[in-house]
C-alpha cells in the first residue's frame, strides 16, 4: 500500500473536500492568514473571520485555522504556519468544527427528580453542588480530563487542594498516560519527553512499540512517512501484537505475544551487552543502574545496583529464550539490536497506549528509555525515545498542572513537605492547608464511589468534567454501575452532549466546547498552545472554568473556611485596575474578564520549581505554541527548548557538561538504566476463556465518540464498533463477516458484529474491539488490574471467549 492509497482509505481526501463547507458554509476558505495577535481574528471581504486554535482532539497539537461567520464556525483549514502539522490535518481535524453542532447539545442544567432529569436554573445547580460539598467535603471527589484546559485544571487543583484541603482530584489521563509519567520520573527524575517532534524529520529508523500512528496519530505518521516521497530513506520497524494500517508501511514487523514486550526489550539490552556494542562512554558518563526494590512495599525509584548486577540480571534474556517467551524470532531480535548497535544511525522510538495501558506499564516504559540510554541513542536530533499522548492536554493540564491525586502544579508532590509549603505560598493559603496524604486514584475513587458508604465507600459526591467514565472505565459494571443503585451517592456531570455518564447522573451541567471559550492546552512535545473564544455556546451552556469558580464562591458564602486565603479573601479573588473586586462568579461579569490569562499567570511561578518554565500569556497569543522550558534571554526574548538536558539546547545544563540530568533521582546528574524482569500477566487465556482481547481506537473516532459520533461524515465512515477476528478463529467458531457474536470475560459480555481481518489482521487467538460506541460497551468486559506505581489499568489484554450470539429463548 502506498501513501496515496492509505489516504484514500482513511477518507482524508473526502475530509479535505468537506473542510470548506462546515456547518453549511458556502465557499472554500481563502489562504491561511498570518498570526493573529488579538481576539477577533482576521476578517475577509466576505465577513469570514479567521483565528488560530489547536485541534480539539488528540495529543499531537495540530493547529487549525477556524473560520467564523454570523456567529458560527463555518470553515476549517490546516494552519500552514504551525510547526507541528504544517497545514495538514487528519480526517477528524478537518471536521472538528462540526463537533460544535450536533442536534442534541446540552443547553440547560438538569437535576434528577423522581427519577427524571428536569431543567433547573444555574443558581439552583451551583447551590446544590456547594451544599453537598459543604456538608461533607472529605467525601467529595472531582474527576476531570486531559481535555480540560490548563486554566480549568489549575482552577480545579486550586479548588480541591488549596481550598478543600483534599486530594481527591484525579483525571482520565490516569487511564492513558500515567505509566509514561512514572517511567519518566523514575528514569530522569522529572516527567515528560526530553525530545520533540523534530526527531521525525531526521531519524533514519523509526521504531514503533505497540502503537498504530497511521490511525491514532496520522499527522505525525505522515510527517515521517512523507519523507520517502522526497527520496529519503526512512526505515520503519513495527513491533506489535496485531498487524495494523501502520504495518503496511513497515520494513520489518516484529510480532510479540501480549505482555511480553518486557522480554523483547530485555533481549535487546542483553545483545547490546554481550556483543559489547553498548555505548560505554555515554553510559559511564551519564547513567546509573537501577532495579526494583526488594521490600514488601514496592518503591517507584527502586534501588541502586552495580553494572555487574545489571549484567547478571540480563543473562537469562538470550535471543533464544526471548523467542520462547515472546514469539519474536531470535534472528529478528538480533537484527533490531544491530540497529541500536550502530551509533551513526539515528533512531527514534515512539509508543503510546500499548506500553502505557499495561499492568507492568512503568517497567516497560523504563526499559524503552533504558534501550536508548544504554545504546547511546539519546539526546541528538532524530535520536531518542518519544512517548505520545492521546488527549489534547494530558500533558499540559494533567501532568504539568498536577491534576492527579498525588500531585501539585509544576511537578510537585503532596507527600513532600517542601513542595506543599511552596504551593501554599504560591496559592497564598495558610500553612497546613494542603493535605499530605494523596487522594484516591481513578480506579480507587470510582471503586469507593460504587461501594456502600458504611462499607468503606467514602466518596459520596463526585463531580465529573469533560469525560465519560460510564463508557471509558474498565470493568465498568464493577467500578461505575453500582453507584447508581446507592441512594446517598450523588453524581454531577459537566458535558456538552448526552453520554452514557450524563444519562445516569443526578445533576447535569451544560458546558461550552472548544472555541466557545478561551483555552490553553499542552501537547506531547511540551508545546503550550493558546486560543481565544470565537463563538458563543448554545443556550445556557457555560465554561467548565466558570462552573468551578461559581461553586467555590457559593462555598465562600456558606462559610467554608477553605475558600479563604491567608488574608481572608476569596480563594479566587480578582480585582480590576482600580483594585475593586471583580465578581467573576457572576456569569455576565465573568465574560468580560480573561480568566485564562489571570489564572495562567498565577500558575506560572509553580512551573519554575522543576524547570518547566512558561512564558507570559501574551507570548502564546503571538505563537503557534512554545515548548517548555521557555526562558527569557538577555535580549528580553523568550526562547523555547527543543531538547532537555542537552547543552546548547537547554539553558539549565551547565557549561561543559554536554548532557546533564539535573533532576536525577540518584542526585548525581545521571539517568537510570533499569533492570526489570519479565513477569506473566495477571490474566491469560485458558480453556474456558481461550482468546486475548485488545481494545483501542480507530481513525474516524476519538475516545468514547461523544463528539465524533455526532459528525455525520465520520459516523457514516465508521458507524459502529465491531469484533475484529482472525479468519482461522472465525471459521473454527462458525462465524462470518457481519454475524453477531458474544464476547465474554469473567466480568461481563457484549454483543458485536464480526469483521474478519477488515482493517487489521489479528493473529490467531487474538480479537480486537474499539471502544468508541456507547451502544456496544466493551468495557463491561475489560480488566481493572493496574500497574502498582502508575495505577493505570490494562485495556490491552484480558482473556475472553467468543461465540455466535444466541437471542434470549432463540436458537443460534
Amino acid at each position: 500500500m502506498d501513501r496515496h492509497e492509505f489516504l484514500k482509505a482513511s477518507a482524508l481526501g473526502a475530509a479535505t473536500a468537506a473542510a470548506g463547507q462546515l456547518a453549511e458554509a458556502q465557499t472554500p476558505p481563502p489562504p491561511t492568514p498570518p498570526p493573529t495577535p488579538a481576539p477577533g481574528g482576521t476578517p475577509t471581504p466576505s465577513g469570514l473571520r479567521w483565528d488560530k486554535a489547536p485541534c480539539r482532539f488528540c495529543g499531537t497539537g495540530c493547529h487549525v485555522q477556524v473560520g467564523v461567520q454570523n456567529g458560527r464556525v463555518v470553515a476549517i483549514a490546516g494552519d500552514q504556519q504551525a510547526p507541528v502539522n504544517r497545514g495538514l490535518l487528519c480526517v477528524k481535524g478537518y471536521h472538528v468544527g462540526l463537533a460544535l453542532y450536533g442536534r442534541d447539545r446540552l443547553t440547560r442544567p438538569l437535576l434528577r427528580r423522581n427519577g427524571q432529569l428536569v431543567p433547573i436554573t444555574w443558581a439552583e445547580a451551583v447551590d446544590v453542588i456547594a451544599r453537598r460539598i459543604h456538608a461533607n467535603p472529605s467525601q467529595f471527589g472531582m474527576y476531570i480530563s486531559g481535555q480540560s484546559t490548563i486554566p480549568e485544571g489549575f482552577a480545579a487543583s486550586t479548588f480541591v487542594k488549596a481550598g478543600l484541603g483534599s486530594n481527591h482530584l484525579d483525571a482520565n489521563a490516569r487511564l492513558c498516560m500515567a505509566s509514561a509519567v512514572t517511567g519518566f520520573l523514575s528514569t530522569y527524575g522529572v516527567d515528560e519527553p526530553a525530545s520533540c517532534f523534530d526527531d521525525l524529520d531526521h531519524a533514519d529508523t523509526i521504531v514503533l512499540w505497540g502503537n498504530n500512528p497511521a490511525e491514532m496519530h496520522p499527522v505525525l505518521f505522515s510527517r515521517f512517512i512523507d519523507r520517502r516521497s522526497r527520496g529519503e530513506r526512512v526505515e520503519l520497524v513495527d513491533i506489535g501484537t496485531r498487524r495494523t494500517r501502520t504495518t503496511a508501511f513497515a520494513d520489518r514487523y516484529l510480532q510479540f505475544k501480549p505482555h511480553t514486550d518486557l522480554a523483547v526489550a530485555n533481549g535487546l539490552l542483553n545483545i547490546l551487552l554481550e556483543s559489547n556494542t553498548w555505548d560505554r562512554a555515554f553510559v559511564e558518563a551519564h547513567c546509573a543502574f537501577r532495579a526494583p526494590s526488594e521490600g514488601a512495599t514496592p518503591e517507584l525509584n527502586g534501588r541502586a545496583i552495580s553494572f555487574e548486577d545489571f549484567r547478571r540480571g540480563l543473562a537469562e534474556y538470550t535471543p533464544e529464550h526471548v523467542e520462547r517467551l515472546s514469539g519474536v524470532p531470535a534472528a529478528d531480535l538480533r537484527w533490531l539490536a544491530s540497529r541500536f548497535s550502530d551509533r551513526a544511525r539515528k533512531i527514534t522510538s515512539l509508543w503510546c497506549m500499548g506500553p502505557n495501558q499495561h499492568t507492568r506499564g512503568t517497567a516497560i516504559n523504563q526499559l524503552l528509555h533504558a534501550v536508548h540510554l544504554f545504546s547511546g541513542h539519546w539526546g541528538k536530533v532524530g535520536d531518542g525515545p518519544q512517548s505520545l499522548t492521546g488527549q489534547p492536554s494530558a500533558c499540559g493540564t494533567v501532568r504539568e498542572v498536577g491534576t492527579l491525586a498525588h500531585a501539585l502544579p509544576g511537578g510537585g508532590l503532596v507527600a513532600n513537605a517542601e513542595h506543599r509549603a511552596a504551593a501554599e505560598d504560591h496559592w497564598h493559603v495558610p500553612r497546613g492547608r494542603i493535605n499530605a496524604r494523596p487522594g484516591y486514584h481513578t480506579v480507587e475513587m470510582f471503586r469507593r464511589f460504587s461501594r456502600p458508604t458504611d462499607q468503606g465507600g467514602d466518596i459520596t459526591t463526585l463531580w465529573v468534567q469533560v469525560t465519560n467514565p460510564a463508557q471509558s472505565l474498565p470493568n465498568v459494571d464493577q467500578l461505575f454501575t453500582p453507584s447508581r443503585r446507592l441512594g446517598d451517592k450523588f453524581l454531577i456531570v459537566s458535558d456538552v452532549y448526552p453520554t452514557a455518564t450524563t444519562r445516569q447522573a443526578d445533576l447535569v451541567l451544560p458546558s461550552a466546547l472548544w472555541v466557545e471559550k478561551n483555552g490553553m492546552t499542552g501537547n506531547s512535545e511540551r508545546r503550550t498552545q493558546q486560543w481565544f473564544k470565537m463563538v458563543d455556546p448554545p443556550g445556557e451552556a457555560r465554561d467548565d472554568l466558570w462552573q468551578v469558580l461559581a461553586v467555590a464562591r457559593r462555598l465562600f458564602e456558606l462559610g467554608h473556611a477553605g475558600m479563604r486565603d491567608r488574608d481572608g479573601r476569596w480563594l479566587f479573588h480578582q480585582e480590576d485596575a482600580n483594585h475593586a473586586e471583580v465578581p467573576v462568579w457572576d456569569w455576565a461579569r465573568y465574560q468580560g474578564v480573561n480568566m485564562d490569562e489571570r489564572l495562567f499567570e498565577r500558575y506560572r511561578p509553580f512551573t519554575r520549581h522543576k524547570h518547566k518554565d512558561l512564558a507570559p500569556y501574551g507570548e502564546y497569543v503571538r505563537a503557534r505554541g512554545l515548548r517548555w522550558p521557555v526562558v527569557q534571554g538577555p535580549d528580553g526574548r523568550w526562547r523555547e527548548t527543543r531538547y532537555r538536558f542537552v547543552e546548547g539546547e537547554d539553558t539549565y545544563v551547565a557549561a561543559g557538561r554536554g548532557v546533564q540530568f539535573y533532576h536525577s533521582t540518584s542526585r548525581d546528574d545521571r539517568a537510570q538504566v533499569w533492570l526489570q524482569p519479565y513477569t506473566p500477566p495477571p490474566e491469560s487465556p485458558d480453556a474456558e476463556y481461550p482468546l486475548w482481547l485488545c481494545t483501542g481506537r480507530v481513525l474516524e473516532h476519538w475516545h468514547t465518540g461523544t463528539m465524533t459520533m455526532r459528525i455525520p461524515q465520520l459516523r457514516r465512515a465508521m458507524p459502529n464498533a465491531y469484533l475484529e477476528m482472525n479468519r482461522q478463529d472465525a471459521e473454527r467458531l462458525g462465524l462470518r463477516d457481519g454475524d453477531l457474536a458474544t464476547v465474554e470475560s469473567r466480568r461481563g459480555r457484549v454483543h458485536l458484529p464480526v469483521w474478519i481481518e477488515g482493517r487489521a489482521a489479528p493473529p490467531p487467538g487474538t480479537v480486537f474491539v474499539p471502544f468508541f460506541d456507547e451502544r456496544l460497551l466493551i468495557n463491561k468486559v475489560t480488566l481493572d488490574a493496574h500497574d502498582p506505581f502508575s495505577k493505570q489499568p490494562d485495556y490491552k489484554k484480558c482473556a475472553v471467549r467468543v461465540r455466535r450470539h444466541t437471542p434470549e429463548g432463540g436458537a443460534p
Side-chain angles (χ1 to χ4, degrees):
M1 177 187 286
D2 61 22
R3 181 173 181 269
H4 176 74
E5 291 171 328
F6 167 70
L7 293 179
K8 181 179 178 181
S10 68
L12 185 55
T16 306
Q21 300 170 15
L22 292 179
E24 304 174 344
Q26 296 84 14
T27 58
T32 304
T36 307
T42 302
T44 66
S46 66
L48 189 66
R49 284 187 167 269
W50 290 95
D51 209 343
K52 70 176 177 76
C55 178
R56 177 58 179 77
F57 296 120
C58 79
T60 300
C62 297
H63 255 89
V64 301
Q65 283 287 313
V66 183
V68 175
Q69 192 171 48
N70 299 325
R72 288 174 65 87
V73 173
V74 297
I76 294 291
D79 192 333
Q80 297 178 21
Q81 299 179 53
V84 171
N85 56 306
R86 303 165 183 174
L88 181 65
L89 296 173
C90 76
V91 66
K92 294 185 292 293
Y94 282 118
H95 288 99
V96 65
L98 287 173
L100 302 174
Y101 299 118
R103 295 178 180 177
D104 57 344
R105 279 292 297 269
L106 296 170
T107 58
R108 298 185 67 182
L110 303 170
L111 179 66
R112 192 171 298 279
R113 288 176 174 155
N114 300 318
Q116 301 294 317
L117 288 170
V118 298
I120 61 171
T121 66
W122 269 108
E124 290 175 297
V126 168
D127 187 65
V128 166
I129 300 170
R131 289 186 182 279
R132 289 238 13 141
I133 298 171
H134 192 52
N136 203 338
S138 67
Q139 294 190 356
F140 169 75
M142 194 168 186
Y143 185 60
I144 67 166
S145 170
Q147 303 158 62
S148 304
T149 68
I150 290 171
E152 288 166 356
F154 184 67
S157 187
T158 304
F159 174 60
V160 175
K161 300 186 178 189
L164 299 179
S166 163
N167 291 312
H168 294 324
L169 168 68
D170 216 53
N172 69 355
R174 175 76 70 179
L175 308 179
C176 67
M177 54 85 238
S179 296
V181 174
T182 48
F184 279 111
L185 287 172
S186 55
T187 299
Y188 308 106
V190 66
D191 185 27
E192 295 199 40
S195 54
C196 63
F197 295 163
D198 292 18
D199 286 349
L200 305 179
D201 305 327
H202 301 280
D204 301 312
T205 297
I206 306 284
V207 182
L208 306 175
W209 294 85
N211 58 326
N212 177 20
E215 292 196 80
M216 305 307 109
H217 295 90
V219 170
L220 294 182
F221 181 75
S222 183
R223 186 160 164 176
F224 63 78
I225 217 70
D226 276 0
R227 292 170 53 201
R228 291 178 174 177
S229 67
R230 299 193 292 270
E232 296 183 50
R233 171 65 178 153
V234 183
E235 184 177 64
L236 180 62
V237 183
D238 184 19
I239 307 175
T241 58
R242 63 190 256 274
R243 290 179 177 270
T244 66
R245 284 187 165 181
T246 299
T247 315
F249 294 84
D251 297 274
R252 288 281 186 117
Y253 173 58
L254 279 62
Q255 184 171 289
F256 64 92
K257 298 173 186 176
H259 200 77
T260 63
D261 40 6
L262 280 85
V264 173
N266 279 323
L268 290 175
L269 290 167
N270 173 282
I271 295 171
L272 291 168
L273 183 61
E274 294 304 318
S275 63
N276 199 31
T277 54
W278 55 288
D279 192 337
R280 183 182 298 271
F282 182 84
V283 171
E284 290 182 349
H286 303 299
C287 299
F289 295 94
R290 214 83 181 166
S293 53
E294 295 180 321
T297 303
E299 297 179 359
L300 175 61
N301 290 330
R303 59 188 174 90
I305 60 172
S306 69
F307 176 74
E308 288 305 316
D309 294 330
F310 183 70
R311 179 188 291 277
R312 283 191 294 272
L314 287 177
E316 67 177 295
Y317 295 100
T318 64
E320 290 72 25
H321 180 57
V322 171
E323 180 174 357
R324 288 191 292 271
L325 288 172
S326 70
V328 175
D332 285 349
L333 194 67
R334 289 190 174 95
W335 174 85
L336 183 56
S338 74
R339 274 14 199 184
F340 281 97
S341 298
D342 182 358
R343 230 98 69 217
R345 180 177 294 272
K346 299 186 291 292
I347 303 176
T348 294
S349 286
L350 300 176
W351 67 92
C352 196
M353 295 305 107
N356 291 349
Q357 291 178 336
H358 197 310
T359 53
R360 297 291 309 286
T362 300
I364 183 58
N365 271 267
Q366 291 167 339
L367 289 180
L368 297 182
H369 293 295
V371 168
H372 275 267
L373 290 164
F374 196 61
S375 64
H377 288 282
W378 198 97
K380 299 178 287 291
V381 177
D383 212 20
Q386 174 81 44
S387 166
L388 301 177
T389 51
Q391 297 189 86
S393 203
C395 290
T397 301
V398 181
R399 296 163 76 164
E400 294 159 26
V401 173
T403 55
L404 293 168
H406 65 282
L408 290 168
L413 300 173
V414 298
N416 185 301
E418 292 183 6
H419 294 179
R420 292 196 306 276
E424 286 161 350
D425 289 343
H426 290 313
W427 270 319
H428 198 63
V429 296
R431 281 283 185 268
R433 174 70 63 80
I434 299 173
N435 196 322
R437 182 178 180 180
Y440 297 139
H441 59 82
T442 295
V443 171
E444 188 63 23
M445 182 184 290
F446 279 93
R447 183 175 287 135
R448 288 175 181 266
F449 187 57
S450 287
R451 184 181 296 163
T453 305
D454 61 0
Q455 297 176 30
D458 55 357
I459 296 294
T460 55
T461 300
L462 186 59
W463 188 357
V464 174
Q465 284 193 332
V466 208
T467 188
N468 185 13
Q471 185 172 343
S472 61
L473 284 171
N475 194 8
V476 69
D477 282 340
Q478 286 295 315
L479 293 184
F480 182 87
T481 307
S483 71
R484 304 299 75 215
R485 299 190 291 267
L486 300 174
D488 64 334
K489 305 289 181 157
F490 193 84
L491 178 64
I492 307 151
V493 182
S494 301
D495 216 320
V496 297
Y497 287 111
T499 67
T501 310
T502 65
R503 292 186 185 98
Q504 301 182 66
D506 298 290
L507 177 62
V508 178
L509 306 179
S511 293
L513 173 61
W514 192 40
V515 295
E516 295 169 350
K517 59 185 179 182
N518 294 335
M520 301 187 79
T521 53
N523 80 342
S524 296
E525 63 166 351
R526 297 174 281 107
R527 185 182 295 274
T528 307
Q529 301 163 298
Q530 178 275 345
W531 73 93
F532 287 118
K533 175 182 174 179
M534 302 178 202
V535 296
D536 289 329
E540 297 177 29
R542 298 183 181 180
D543 300 9
D544 296 294
L545 172 56
W546 175 84
Q547 295 172 28
V548 172
L549 298 179
V551 171
R553 182 64 188 193
R554 184 68 185 118
L555 278 167
F556 177 85
E557 293 166 354
L558 291 172
H560 191 286
M563 293 300 114
R564 296 179 181 274
D565 67 11
R566 289 177 184 172
D567 301 325
R569 300 185 306 182
W570 181 44
L571 192 62
F572 293 97
H573 177 81
Q574 302 294 321
E575 295 181 353
D576 62 19
N578 297 317
H579 304 294
E581 184 171 26
V582 180
V584 292
W585 60 88
D586 181 298
W587 174 242
R589 297 295 299 274
Y590 168 88
Q591 294 179 83
V593 177
N594 187 347
M595 280 300 293
D596 270 33
E597 180 174 13
R598 291 182 179 223
L599 289 176
F600 184 76
E601 292 300 334
R602 185 177 289 187
Y603 162 58
R604 281 181 61 220
F606 285 86
T607 67
R608 300 186 188 113
H609 292 283
K610 288 281 189 176
H611 303 93
K612 300 183 179 185
D613 311 40
L614 296 173
Y617 181 84
E619 296 297 316
Y620 299 97
V621 173
R622 290 184 279 274
R624 262 57 169 186
L626 296 170
R627 292 169 288 198
W628 58 259
V630 188
V631 181
Q632 190 172 29
D635 60 357
R637 298 176 64 182
W638 292 87
R639 177 181 177 274
E640 67 172 358
T641 301
R642 293 191 311 163
Y643 295 92
R644 299 169 75 197
F645 313 128
V646 177
E647 187 176 358
E649 295 278 354
D650 186 341
T651 303
Y652 289 110
V653 173
R657 295 297 301 273
V659 171
Q660 182 184 10
F661 298 106
Y662 46 74
H663 283 296
S664 167
T665 59
S666 48
R667 302 182 183 277
D668 55 4
D669 291 341
R670 293 175 179 269
Q672 310 304 309
V673 174
W674 277 84
L675 174 69
Q676 280 285 4
Y678 163 78
T679 57
E683 180 174 277
S684 294
D686 55 21
E688 189 176 5
Y689 296 92
L691 301 171
W692 283 111
L693 167 68
C694 177
T695 68
R697 296 199 328 226
V698 294
L699 172 70
E700 296 84 356
H701 291 296
W702 196 72
H703 283 199
T704 62
T706 302
M707 294 177 287
T708 53
M709 283 290 275
R710 287 172 171 86
I711 296 174
Q713 294 89 336
L714 300 181
R715 183 164 184 151
R716 285 197 299 268
M718 183 57 69
N720 56 263
Y722 53 86
L723 171 65
E724 179 184 275
M725 295 192 73
N726 178 275
R727 188 170 301 278
Q728 293 178 28
D729 291 329
E731 290 177 353
R732 178 174 53 82
L733 295 168
L735 294 168
R736 296 176 296 179
D737 270 330
D739 285 350
L740 194 63
T742 298
V743 182
E744 185 175 13
S745 72
R746 291 176 173 84
R747 292 156 294 281
R749 69 183 68 172
V750 64
H751 312 302
L752 293 147
V754 172
W755 193 7
I756 300 172
E757 297 179 358
R759 180 169 285 187
T766 301
V767 296
F768 171 84
V769 178
F771 69 95
F772 68 85
D773 192 340
E774 72 174 5
R775 300 161 301 177
L776 303 169
L777 291 179
I778 191 58
N779 280 323
K780 290 176 175 285
V781 176
T782 49
L783 188 68
D784 59 356
H786 52 73
D787 179 272
F789 302 107
S790 70
K791 314 302 182 186
Q792 181 167 354
D794 192 333
Y795 290 88
K796 297 302 182 185
K797 61 192 87 72
C798 70
V800 299
R801 60 190 175 200
V802 173
R803 57 179 170 82
R804 180 184 292 275
H805 173 56
T806 304
E808 293 295 327

